Amino acid sequence: MSSLIFVQLLLLGLRVISTTTDTWRHCTDIFPLDLLSFVLERDTSKLAPGVHMKQAGEMRGVHFSSPHSSLSFPSSQVLANCDLFPKEFSVVVTLRVSHLAQKRNEYILSLIGPKTEEKSTLNDYGDLLESNKKRSATAGEQRGKTRRNKERKVKSNEERGRIILGLRLSKKCLHFLFKGHGGVVEHWVFRGTKLADNQWHTLVLTITREYVSLTVDCQAPVQIVPTRPFPSDLNIQGSRFHIGNRGRWKGLFSGMLRQLVLVPGMDVSHQICPSPNSQPATLSVPPLLLDLPVKKKEGDSHPTSYEKEERVSVGLERSCSELLQGQLWFNPLKKGLYLCDGSEWITVLEDHKRLDYVMEHQVLTTSSETHDVEVFQVPGMGLMAAMAHRSKASGSAVYLWTHAQFSLYQNISTHEALAWRHFYIGKKIFLVVSNSGGGPYNRLNKELENEFSVIYKWSKKRKQFVRFQSLQTYCARDWEAFVINRQTYLAVANHRQGMAILRSNQNLCIKILHFSLWFVFQVITITL
Ligand SMILES: *[C@@H]1O[C@H](CO)[C@@H](O)[C@H](O)[C@H]1NC(C)=O
């Protein structure tokens, strides 16, 4: 009876989850989205059309010569599985604006909604040009204009309707614009953001429910208090990000971009600027821009001193490729230093946090990496610990607490063991272990070869755990044992194929000696 209720509750819970996914979803993942890398690394063999790599000062950036369609990509590629723009976020930009080249109103970033008209496709280059000729004012400037011409009105509504979000730089201000309440484009203006001085600057724009702030080069942030908060229902379905432009010639960014990162759900200004007036830290710069090209001149194979300096980069995320071989990366969050060997990062140093209120009692060296520890009592023996070791060769082991420390008691052959669980049926003690790697037991059956679990029973006579039964599981990550109505159940969380609850097929409290196999009582599939 109670098991039925339990199952019903579970199913009810699942149904609730599935109905809420029908509604529009917010983007809830919190990790930095390197938008510039997204454009640059689409094809690592060559730069996208309209993109030029330039060096200024001691750093590299990209310059855009046209609002080419390759500088845009669907928002769904970075903000996956959601329809609404994050309610809170940060944008980190490192840019350089030249004094001579700076025109007015240049877009660093824009998010443009889908066109409603059938005939026009978003990437149509000619269309961009044409619409540019027809339209001269920006969406925001249009708001106050009278609408005499009907056709123009339709067009302007459509135009205005298409910009979902934009980051725009004018001579003295940074503008943040977005489709606000009722579909009207709203502007937040940060005055006095004068950047045209041929220097690199790092800007952190943070939008939260409580405040909106802009930090330039880690100086005191400029805060504005908007009358209405940033909308929580900004629909981004079918929209596209445009980097360095707004999908047309007008507003093309004429400076250089080095870093453009969107961080949903988080204010990263403190990560970028740990203290006022500090040097801005880097969150994520496309690897292409990190290293200066090694110029192989005849008879000159030594890198210049500057190239040596550039070999340590600082940031939260880096990719390692052949181009970056020998490059060091310092991750300030992990306090780790890594070396790129041409394909992956090798840890040079990493800070391991120690809990200062826990004293070290024993360092137990195990035969391989340990995935799980299960501690339990065995009457007549004392405290034992089963450890799930990764290595197939040495298998896992059970340790016994003697002389105030754990020592190896029994080796148990496992295959990339993931989890142990102990359980009692009456006075009998059992252990179940899940394997994730191939074992010899099911060699004939290819399907079953990889993942299975084994139940062991404690033999009082032999004072050892002995193999009792093996079970087909699917990369089981965790086990739980429980008793309902004097029946023992085992629940297994499979990595694939759904969860299962297993029940022994006899009333075990009475007839322990004859209890035989476990069978799957119910399979629950949970899709996350
Ligand atoms: C367990 O296996 C290791 C080798 O992996 C061996 O050195 C050790 O003696 C074994 N211990 C027991 C209790 O069987």
Side-chain angles (χ1 to χ4, degrees):
M1 182 65 190
S2 54
S3 66
L4 268 180
I5 294 171
F6 169 71
V7 166
Q8 274 171 357
L9 279 175
L10 255 177
L11 291 178
L12 196 70
L14 290 179
R15 213 173 303 131
V16 170
I17 289 165
S18 68
T19 52
T20 52
T21 55
D22 292 341
T23 58
W24 281 349
R25 297 152 303 173
H26 263 108
C27 307
T28 48
D29 289 341
I30 300 181
F31 48 80
L33 304 168
D34 185 341
L35 302 180
L36 196 55
S37 281
F38 215 77
V39 163
L40 292 184
E41 282 176 23
R42 206 174 292 168
D43 179 359
T44 46
S45 64
K46 61 179 191 303
L47 285 172
V51 181
H52 309 272
M53 196 146 51
K54 282 191 173 178
Q55 189 187 332
E58 298 207 322
M59 293 202 284
R60 268 181 178 185
V62 287
H63 170 76
F64 306 108
S65 61
S66 81
H68 196 271
S69 58
S70 60
L71 297 177
S72 97
F73 53 88
S75 61
S76 57
Q77 288 185 3
V78 284
L79 296 168
N81 302 319
C82 49
D83 323 298
L84 303 176
F85 200 78
K87 286 179 273 192
E88 304 189 309
F89 58 92
S90 299
V91 180
V92 182
V93 188
T94 301
L95 47 66
R96 189 179 162 107
V97 184
S98 82
H99 184 63
L100 288 173
Q102 198 200 9
K103 294 176 212 142
R104 304 186 64 204
N105 292 329
E106 297 182 348
Y107 280 80
I108 297 164
L109 169 73
S110 64
L111 182 62
I112 308 285
K115 278 193 177 173
T116 44
E117 284 165 309
E118 281 272 281
K119 67 172 176 71
S120 46
T121 57
L122 205 66
N123 283 333
D124 194 327
Y125 201 54
D127 200 31
L128 290 178
L129 280 165
E130 195 191 18
S131 73
N132 177 36
K133 272 186 234 151
K134 280 188 188 165
R135 306 275 318 109
S136 58
T138 65
E141 283 159 6
Q142 271 179 23
R143 230 188 305 162
K145 287 192 179 172
T146 50
R147 298 154 188 161
R148 277 171 238 141
N149 188 325
K150 205 166 187 189
E151 198 249 312
R152 195 187 159 108
K153 186 180 161 191
V154 170
K155 187 91 177 158
S156 76
N157 276 345
E158 198 236 313
E159 273 301 329
R160 202 188 303 154
R162 286 190 58 212
I163 188 138
I164 292 176
L165 192 136
L167 196 59
R168 198 176 78 188
L169 202 61
S170 69
K171 240 176 191 156
K172 288 181 182 160
C173 309
L174 183 86
H175 304 249
F176 175 66
L177 42 151
F178 57 93
K179 193 192 266 186
H181 307 267
V184 178
V185 176
E186 293 188 30
H187 283 236
W188 288 342
V189 182
F190 297 90
R191 296 188 193 283
T193 322
K194 198 163 182 285
L195 303 173
D197 57 1
N198 291 314
Q199 299 280 326
W200 287 103
H201 297 285
T202 295
L203 278 51
V204 185
L205 172 72
T206 298
I207 312 278
T208 72
R209 303 302 288 166
E210 290 84 34
Y211 58 91
V212 175
S213 77
L214 175 72
T215 308
V216 180
D217 296 329
C218 296
Q219 286 160 18
V222 181
Q223 289 215 349
I224 55 173
V225 183
T227 43
R228 276 180 301 201
F230 184 73
S232 59
D233 57 352
L234 193 56
N235 194 333
I236 54 168
Q237 276 179 314
S239 66
R240 293 177 75 91
F241 278 109
H242 292 258
I243 309 303
N245 67 80
R246 58 167 303 201
R248 43 156 81 190
W249 281 94
K250 191 177 168 70
L252 180 68
F253 181 60
S254 63
M256 284 165 70
L257 268 186
R258 177 171 167 82
Q259 171 171 234
L260 181 58
V261 186
L262 169 69
V263 191
M266 206 176 155
D267 176 358
V268 290
S269 52
H270 297 292
Q271 265 104 320
I272 304 296
C273 301
S275 61
N277 299 320
S278 55
Q279 270 294 318
T282 305
L283 195 60
S284 186
V285 164
L288 213 60
L289 304 179
L290 282 176
D291 213 10
L292 288 172
V294 182
K295 289 178 205 117
K296 279 246 165 85
K297 281 185 211 148
E298 234 105 295
D300 178 17
S301 58
H302 302 286
T304 63
S305 62
Y306 165 56
E307 278 160 358
K308 273 182 208 151
E309 277 165 34
E310 266 291 295
R311 292 199 179 272
V312 183
S313 69
V314 180
L316 298 184
E317 214 180 324
R318 285 283 175 276
S319 60
C320 165
S321 62
E322 219 170 299
L323 244 157
L324 299 180
Q325 192 166 4
Q327 176 105 32
L328 285 167
W329 161 43
F330 180 71
N331 181 333
L333 266 193
K334 281 190 178 165
K335 294 200 181 103
L337 185 66
Y338 310 89
L339 176 73
C340 175
D341 73 348
S343 63
E344 56 186 67
W345 292 106
I346 299 167
T347 307
V348 179
L349 275 173
E350 211 169 58
D351 181 37
H352 296 283
K353 269 213 178 113
R354 284 182 177 233
L355 303 173
D356 55 4
Y357 50 87
V358 176
M359 298 232 297
E360 206 169 87
H361 177 78
Q362 179 192 358
V363 176
L364 195 63
T365 307
T366 54
S367 54
S368 65
E369 191 183 332
T370 301
H371 285 305
D372 191 30
V373 180
E374 173 81 343
V375 178
F376 53 95
Q377 283 282 350
V378 177
M381 294 296 298
L383 194 65
M384 287 187 149
M387 303 203 187
H389 298 325
R390 200 183 62 168
S391 165
K392 283 183 207 179
S394 52
S396 292
V398 173
Y399 295 77
L400 179 70
W401 182 260
T402 43
H403 309 296
Q405 61 176 17
F406 277 114
S407 44
L408 183 69
Y409 183 76
Q410 181 185 351
N411 288 321
I412 295 181
S413 151
T414 53
H415 303 268
E416 295 175 27
L418 288 178
W420 282 102
R421 184 67 72 217
H422 81 284
F423 57 95
Y424 301 94
I425 298 176
K427 284 182 183 168
K428 302 268 174 194
I429 300 163
F430 296 86
L431 272 177
V432 60
V433 65
S434 56
N435 293 297
S436 63
Y441 309 98
N442 299 305
R443 210 181 298 152
L444 294 177
N445 189 338
K446 271 252 179 273
E447 290 265 293
L448 301 178
E449 194 175 84
N450 284 328
E451 307 130 2
F452 60 95
S453 296
V454 184
I455 298 178
Y456 294 87
K457 194 180 96 174
W458 175 253
S459 161
K460 264 192 199 165
K461 210 153 87 201
R462 290 166 63 185
K463 294 204 182 305
Q464 295 262 307
F465 279 99
V466 293
R467 196 183 167 87
F468 182 75
Q469 181 193 347
S470 71
L471 295 165
Q472 178 61 53
T473 50
Y474 302 91
C475 202
R477 288 291 167 92
D478 201 11
W479 287 95
E480 205 56 73
F482 50 94
V483 176
I484 299 172
N485 280 354
R486 300 201 291 167
Q487 290 258 25
T488 302
Y489 293 80
L490 272 178
V492 60
N494 284 316
H495 184 51
R496 300 184 292 108
Q497 306 266 0
M499 316 287 164
I501 295 177
L502 298 94
R503 181 174 65 190
S504 58
N505 63 355
Q506 300 222 3
N507 190 337
L508 306 167
C509 293
I510 298 162
K511 268 184 121 181
I512 296 160
L513 286 175
H514 294 105
F515 93 90
S516 48
L517 296 177
W518 293 68
F519 63 91
V520 174
F521 165 65
Q522 185 181 20
V523 174
I524 303 169
T525 306
I526 297 177
T527 319
L528 296 174

